Amino acid sequence: MKLKTTLTFFILLFCFISSAQVDVAKQCKKAKYDAQQSRLKAKEFSNDKKLALGLYKAEFNFLLKAEGICENYSNKGLKLFLRSFSSIKKIQKDKVLTAKYTDSIISVYERANAKGIQIDSMFFGKAATWYTRSSAPDYFKADVQFQKAQTWSKFKVSDYNTQVYYKNLYNLYVKSNRTDNELKKRLISEYFRLSTVISDNKLKPNSQLFISKIFNNVVRSCEDILPELAGYLKTLPQQQDVKITSLNNFIDLLDQKKCSDSPEYEILIDTLLKVDRSVNSVLAKAKLLYAKGKNNEALNMLNEAKTLEIADSSLLEKINKKIASIKLENVRTLYNNKNYKKAYSVGKALTGRIRGEGLKIAAKSVAAMANSCGASTFDRKCNYYYAIELLKKANSSGASVAKLMEKYKNSLPSGEEKFDKGNPKKLSLSCWGVEVEIY
């Protein structure tokens, strides 16, 4: 008797479950059908935006009902939600209401993930945007989805997703009260990466301006960037070309923020030289050495740059100009430091476009030593004959010498002084090892 009762119970339970399953299947089918009909009618009344919006909202609600009832809800169901949500957004201009629908589709998306539904990769970028536009934005979840979206093989770069992604990363950083150094590092490295993405994909200039504005809110001064460099150098990419690009990006950044006098800047330059001894890296080192007042070392680097492959002839011209400029500066420094003998010899040896200025400094050096070069006043005044001779050569090489020429002529021996010496025609100048004509 007891066995019969138990058997009857299980038979009734099975029938009940079967009946319930049939009922659930019917309800599922009915909800999907109602959603479909609502959409068809919305299209039918597309000219009446208010009515169409109401029907799209009804479609969305029927889809919510179906999602709650139907078993094995799939990617197809998510795509129907996305389509309905997109239709509502096109008509719905109320941001508050749109945010509520965004909250709903986020819930659907999260439930699908919780159920283990294999989510189509196309949803990652969509979901990232939903999280940023919900009534309570979740920047962390948005960032997770953004990162997943960018690994999708069919991910298409656009001005919109580039800007929204970087802005969301910045919002995460601000939410940490600007204390999360890892986020700061990401903002810096992603700025460089996205700048390349914008350039390579020919996005609008506005996208570069957009991320640059955010970046400059993160990195405002040397103090914002220098503490990060040590950690950054430890995590440089292993791929050679990427490593070189990264180093150059940081060097440019420190230049922009006027940090080129920092020890960290020199470390970056030296690191770049180790991995890429190219014209650009050698010139960067030359620029640094020159800024530090190490002119001779800078000259060595500039001369090395000339031995490397230079495709741009205008760059070679710039290098030659800089070499000439530093050489001339060195002579002027010698003269200003009253090292007249050295200034004379080095100035006289200059060639090319700076020959005239070199000879002019040589003449000034001779004049500066005139009062200490010679056994008598007459001999000492004769130094100005040589100074004038040098000025004439300087003038023929393009130097402006008129004022000095007049000054030195007034310093020559007088007719009486020449008469007292027997009107000599020539005189050897012991200081300079030359013989001058007396006129």
Side-chain angles (χ1 to χ4, degrees):
M1 184 68 180
K2 187 178 286 187
L3 179 61
K4 187 176 180 181
T5 304
T6 303
L7 185 59
T8 303
F9 171 77
F10 279 113
I11 292 171
L12 290 172
L13 179 61
F14 175 77
C15 292
F16 175 77
I17 291 171
S18 298
S19 174
Q21 287 176 338
V22 171
D23 191 47
V24 167
K26 285 182 179 179
Q27 290 179 41
C28 173
K29 188 175 180 180
K30 177 72 165 56
K32 288 180 178 180
Y33 175 80
D34 289 341
Q36 184 185 50
Q37 291 303 305
S38 296
R39 183 167 192 83
L40 290 172
K41 287 196 174 293
K43 287 184 176 181
E44 186 181 335
F45 295 104
S46 58
N47 291 331
D48 188 335
K49 288 188 177 181
K50 188 174 180 180
L51 180 56
L53 177 61
L55 288 165
Y56 282 129
K57 286 180 177 179
E59 177 198 19
F60 192 90
N61 288 330
F62 282 127
L63 288 173
L64 278 176
K65 185 177 179 182
E67 187 247 347
I69 296 171
C70 303
E71 295 179 1
N72 301 319
Y73 207 73
S74 64
N75 252 309
K76 185 179 178 181
L78 283 174
K79 288 178 181 177
L80 292 175
F81 267 110
L82 177 59
R83 185 179 67 176
S84 180
F85 179 62
S86 298
S87 299
I88 292 170
K89 280 201 304 176
K90 284 180 182 178
I91 305 173
Q92 176 69 64
K93 302 302 179 185
D94 188 318
K95 290 184 178 180
V96 175
L97 287 175
T98 301
K100 287 182 178 179
Y101 275 92
T102 305
D103 293 344
S104 292
I105 200 166
I106 286 173
S107 297
V108 172
Y109 181 72
E110 289 185 343
R111 285 194 294 270
N113 273 298
K115 291 175 183 176
I117 292 174
Q118 191 68 32
I119 305 294
D120 193 312
S121 298
M122 65 163 285
F123 281 102
F124 299 148
K126 302 286 184 184
T129 306
W130 298 337
Y131 281 117
T132 65
R133 295 192 168 185
S134 67
S135 57
D138 192 322
Y139 306 124
F140 175 78
K141 287 183 178 179
D143 184 56
V144 171
Q145 297 299 317
F146 274 128
Q147 291 188 71
K148 288 168 72 174
Q150 290 172 46
T151 63
W152 181 33
S153 59
K154 295 181 181 179
F155 177 73
K156 289 184 179 179
V157 174
S158 70
D159 291 286
Y160 176 77
N161 60 38
T162 299
Q163 293 180 31
V164 174
Y165 164 64
Y166 198 64
K167 178 64 182 296
N168 184 75
L169 190 57
Y170 176 67
N171 287 335
L172 260 180
Y173 178 61
V174 171
K175 195 174 181 181
S176 77
N177 293 319
R178 298 175 180 269
T179 59
D180 192 324
N181 285 331
E182 290 306 312
L183 282 173
K184 186 177 180 181
K185 286 178 184 177
R186 267 190 69 198
L187 278 162
I188 293 168
S189 60
E190 285 296 84
Y191 171 75
F192 292 135
R193 186 184 71 81
L194 291 176
S195 295
T196 302
V197 166
I198 289 168
S199 175
D200 290 348
N201 290 276
K202 295 180 173 57
L203 301 187
K204 294 177 182 177
N206 186 55
S207 287
Q208 184 63 53
L209 290 172
F210 183 88
I211 68 169
S212 293
K213 186 176 180 180
I214 291 174
F215 179 77
N216 287 325
N217 278 329
V218 177
V219 180
R220 298 173 181 172
S221 65
C222 291
E223 289 71 27
D224 288 327
I225 189 65
L226 294 181
E228 309 303 327
L229 274 180
Y232 171 78
L233 289 172
K234 289 178 183 177
T235 57
L236 277 173
Q238 293 304 306
Q239 193 176 332
Q240 186 79 346
D241 57 340
V242 180
K243 182 184 289 188
I244 291 167
T245 300
S246 299
L247 286 165
N248 278 315
N249 283 336
F250 251 100
I251 289 167
D252 289 344
L253 172 59
L254 264 61
D255 276 330
Q256 291 170 25
K257 299 301 176 182
K258 297 180 172 54
C259 310
S260 56
D261 58 348
S262 65
E264 290 86 350
Y265 184 81
E266 188 166 6
I267 291 170
L268 278 173
I269 297 290
D270 290 340
T271 304
L272 178 62
L273 275 172
K274 287 177 183 177
V275 297
D276 177 45
R277 205 167 185 92
S278 64
V279 172
N280 288 337
S281 61
V282 170
L283 288 179
K285 182 67 175 180
K287 180 181 177 182
L288 174 63
L289 290 167
Y290 177 71
K292 296 177 76 172
K294 297 180 179 181
N295 287 13
N296 290 330
E297 291 178 51
L299 279 174
N300 290 337
M301 296 303 290
L302 288 167
N303 283 317
E304 181 185 337
K306 288 176 65 176
T307 68
L308 301 171
E309 186 178 347
I310 302 175
D312 186 358
S313 59
S314 64
L315 178 59
L316 181 59
E317 177 68 12
K318 287 178 183 178
I319 293 171
N320 284 326
K321 280 185 178 180
K322 191 62 182 176
I323 288 173
S325 173
I326 294 175
K327 284 182 175 179
L328 187 58
E329 184 181 323
N330 284 347
V331 177
R332 285 177 175 149
T333 300
L334 289 168
Y335 177 81
N336 292 333
N337 290 337
K338 299 183 179 181
N339 191 347
Y340 300 126
K341 277 281 190 178
K342 187 75 172 175
Y344 164 81
S345 61
V346 177
K348 247 185 91 176
L350 295 181
T351 58
R353 73 185 78 208
I354 54 173
R355 181 172 184 268
E357 289 302 319
L359 287 166
K360 183 177 177 179
I361 294 171
K364 288 170 67 177
S365 297
V366 169
M369 288 187 66
N371 289 335
S372 60
C373 188
S376 65
T377 300
F378 176 78
D379 291 349
R380 289 189 285 273
K381 284 189 175 183
C382 284
N383 282 284
Y384 288 100
Y385 284 114
Y386 185 43
I388 290 169
E389 182 185 323
L390 291 169
L391 284 181
K392 286 179 180 178
K393 292 179 180 178
N395 184 57
S396 66
S397 293
S400 177
V401 299
K403 288 184 179 179
L404 281 178
M405 186 78 80
E406 187 66 27
K407 180 182 177 181
Y408 294 168
K409 283 181 179 179
N410 291 333
S411 298
L412 291 170
S414 67
E416 185 178 344
E417 288 171 317
K418 287 186 279 187
F419 178 79
D420 289 343
K421 286 290 184 178
N423 290 320
K425 298 298 181 183
K426 293 182 179 181
L427 182 74
S428 293
L429 301 177
S430 58
C431 289
W432 310 110
V434 298
E435 188 178 67
V436 293
E437 291 185 5
I438 298 172
Y439 46 84

